[in-house]
Amino acid sequence: METLRKPLAVILGLTALAVLVHFVLGPVYEDVIESHEVWNVLNWFMAFGVLVALIVTYLAKKEVGREDDTNSYIRVNVGFYAAAALAVVYFWNWVNELVVGGGSEGEVNGNYWVLIDVVYVILITRVSVHLWRDASSD
Protein backbone atom coordinates (compact mmCIF):
# COMPACT_ATOMS: atom_id res chain seq x y z
CA MET A 1 0.00 0.00 0.00
CA GLU A 2 2.92 2.34 0.69
CA THR A 3 4.00 2.43 -2.97
CA LEU A 4 0.45 3.22 -4.09
CA ARG A 5 -0.14 6.16 -1.78
CA LYS A 6 1.39 8.95 -3.88
CA PRO A 7 -0.04 7.78 -7.23
CA LEU A 8 -3.47 7.33 -5.62
CA ALA A 9 -3.19 10.76 -4.01
CA VAL A 10 -2.43 12.34 -7.38
CA ILE A 11 -5.23 10.47 -9.18
CA LEU A 12 -7.77 11.33 -6.47
CA GLY A 13 -6.64 14.95 -6.33
CA LEU A 14 -6.90 15.37 -10.10
CA THR A 15 -10.31 13.70 -10.13
CA ALA A 16 -11.58 15.99 -7.38
CA LEU A 17 -10.21 18.99 -9.28
CA ALA A 18 -11.86 17.86 -12.53
CA VAL A 19 -15.21 17.37 -10.78
CA LEU A 20 -14.93 20.77 -9.09
CA VAL A 21 -14.02 22.60 -12.31
CA HIS A 22 -16.74 20.93 -14.34
CA PHE A 23 -19.34 21.36 -11.59
CA VAL A 24 -18.62 25.07 -11.16
CA LEU A 25 -17.68 26.08 -14.72
CA GLY A 26 -19.84 23.61 -16.68
CA PRO A 27 -22.58 26.16 -17.39
CA VAL A 28 -19.99 28.55 -18.88
CA TYR A 29 -18.94 26.18 -21.67
CA GLU A 30 -22.24 24.31 -21.98
CA ASP A 31 -22.69 25.53 -25.59
CA VAL A 32 -19.30 24.09 -26.59
CA ILE A 33 -19.24 20.72 -24.81
CA GLU A 34 -22.21 18.55 -23.91
CA SER A 35 -22.15 18.55 -20.09
CA HIS A 36 -23.78 15.14 -19.80
CA GLU A 37 -21.05 13.54 -21.93
CA VAL A 38 -18.36 14.92 -19.61
CA TRP A 39 -20.25 13.56 -16.58
CA ASN A 40 -20.45 10.13 -18.25
CA VAL A 41 -16.64 10.03 -18.28
CA LEU A 42 -16.15 11.64 -14.87
CA ASN A 43 -18.58 9.21 -13.24
CA TRP A 44 -16.20 6.30 -13.86
CA PHE A 45 -13.33 8.17 -12.21
CA MET A 46 -15.64 9.24 -9.40
CA ALA A 47 -16.67 5.61 -8.82
CA PHE A 48 -13.00 4.68 -8.49
CA GLY A 49 -12.43 7.60 -6.11
CA VAL A 50 -15.40 6.70 -3.94
CA LEU A 51 -14.19 3.09 -3.61
CA VAL A 52 -10.63 4.17 -2.79
CA ALA A 53 -11.91 6.68 -0.23
CA LEU A 54 -14.06 3.99 1.36
CA ILE A 55 -11.10 1.60 1.63
CA VAL A 56 -8.63 4.24 2.87
CA THR A 57 -11.01 5.61 5.50
CA TYR A 58 -11.91 2.10 6.63
CA LEU A 59 -8.24 1.23 7.09
CA ALA A 60 -7.71 4.45 9.06
CA LYS A 61 -10.76 3.66 11.20
CA LYS A 62 -9.44 0.17 11.84
CA GLU A 63 -6.07 1.52 13.01
CA VAL A 64 -7.50 3.98 15.53
CA GLY A 65 -9.02 2.45 18.62
CA ARG A 66 -11.04 3.90 21.45
CA GLU A 67 -7.91 4.18 23.58
CA ASP A 68 -6.45 6.79 21.19
CA ASP A 69 -7.21 10.46 21.66
CA THR A 70 -10.78 11.58 21.10
CA ASN A 71 -9.91 13.92 18.24
CA SER A 72 -8.37 11.13 16.14
CA TYR A 73 -11.20 8.77 16.97
CA ILE A 74 -13.86 11.27 15.88
CA ARG A 75 -11.90 12.34 12.78
CA VAL A 76 -11.47 8.84 11.37
CA ASN A 77 -15.03 7.80 12.18
CA VAL A 78 -16.52 10.90 10.56
CA GLY A 79 -14.31 10.30 7.51
CA PHE A 80 -15.33 6.68 7.20
CA TYR A 81 -19.06 7.24 7.68
CA ALA A 82 -19.00 10.20 5.27
CA ALA A 83 -17.29 7.96 2.69
CA ALA A 84 -19.83 5.19 3.33
CA ALA A 85 -22.77 7.58 2.95
CA LEU A 86 -21.24 9.04 -0.20
CA ALA A 87 -20.74 5.55 -1.63
CA VAL A 88 -24.35 4.55 -1.00
CA VAL A 89 -25.86 7.73 -2.45
CA TYR A 90 -23.39 7.91 -5.34
CA PHE A 91 -23.82 4.32 -6.52
CA TRP A 92 -27.59 4.42 -6.02
CA ASN A 93 -27.90 7.57 -8.11
CA TRP A 94 -25.38 6.49 -10.76
CA VAL A 95 -26.89 3.03 -11.27
CA ASN A 96 -30.31 4.64 -11.48
CA GLU A 97 -29.00 7.00 -14.15
CA LEU A 98 -27.38 4.13 -16.07
CA VAL A 99 -30.59 2.09 -16.01
CA VAL A 100 -33.08 4.88 -16.68
CA GLY A 101 -30.84 6.91 -18.98
CA GLY A 102 -29.04 10.18 -18.56
CA GLY A 103 -31.57 12.49 -20.16
CA SER A 104 -34.59 11.42 -18.14
CA GLU A 105 -33.36 11.93 -14.60
CA GLY A 106 -35.79 13.67 -12.34
CA GLU A 107 -35.38 16.82 -10.34
CA VAL A 108 -34.75 14.87 -7.13
CA ASN A 109 -31.91 12.86 -8.70
CA GLY A 110 -30.43 16.10 -10.04
CA ASN A 111 -30.45 17.52 -6.52
CA TYR A 112 -28.67 14.41 -5.28
CA TRP A 113 -25.96 14.97 -7.88
CA VAL A 114 -25.35 18.45 -6.47
CA LEU A 115 -24.93 16.98 -2.99
CA ILE A 116 -22.76 14.13 -4.32
CA ASP A 117 -20.47 16.45 -6.26
CA VAL A 118 -19.94 18.81 -3.33
CA VAL A 119 -19.28 16.05 -0.79
CA TYR A 120 -17.11 14.19 -3.32
CA VAL A 121 -14.80 17.16 -3.86
CA ILE A 122 -14.41 17.80 -0.13
CA LEU A 123 -13.98 14.16 0.93
CA ILE A 124 -11.73 13.07 -1.93
CA THR A 125 -9.50 16.12 -1.49
CA ARG A 126 -9.17 15.26 2.21
CA VAL A 127 -8.33 11.62 1.44
CA SER A 128 -5.86 12.69 -1.26
CA VAL A 129 -4.01 15.04 1.10
CA HIS A 130 -4.02 12.35 3.80
CA LEU A 131 -2.52 9.78 1.41
CA TRP A 132 0.13 12.25 0.20
CA ARG A 133 1.17 13.17 3.76
CA ASP A 134 1.32 9.52 4.80
CA ALA A 135 3.49 8.67 1.80
CA SER A 136 5.80 11.62 2.49
CA SER A 137 6.21 10.74 6.18
CA ASP A 138 7.29 7.15 5.47
Side-chain angles (χ1 to χ4, degrees), residues 47-122:
F48 174 75
V50 168
L51 291 175
V52 169
L54 194 57
I55 292 168
V56 168
T57 56
Y58 175 75
L59 293 174
K61 181 183 180 321
K62 193 174 165 183
E63 286 179 15
V64 174
R66 288 188 181 264
E67 62 276 354
D68 291 323
D69 65 299
T70 306
N71 187 27
S72 295
Y73 180 77
I74 292 172
R75 182 178 41 83
V76 297
N77 276 284
V78 167
F80 171 70
Y81 289 113
L86 177 64
V88 169
V89 174
Y90 173 79
F91 285 110
W92 169 73
N93 216 37
W94 188 38
V95 168
N96 184 44
E97 184 176 298
L98 290 174
V99 171
V100 174
S104 62
E105 73 177 17
E107 184 178 325
V108 173
N109 286 5
N111 290 336
Y112 279 123
W113 279 121
V114 171
L115 175 69
I116 290 167
D117 293 339
V118 170
V119 172
Y120 180 87
V121 169
I122 293 168

Side-chain angles (χ1 to χ4, degrees), residues 29-40:
Y29 54 82
E30 193 172 68
D31 295 337
V32 179
I33 300 172
E34 184 66 35
S35 180
H36 188 69
E37 297 300 321
V38 176
W39 284 120
N40 285 340

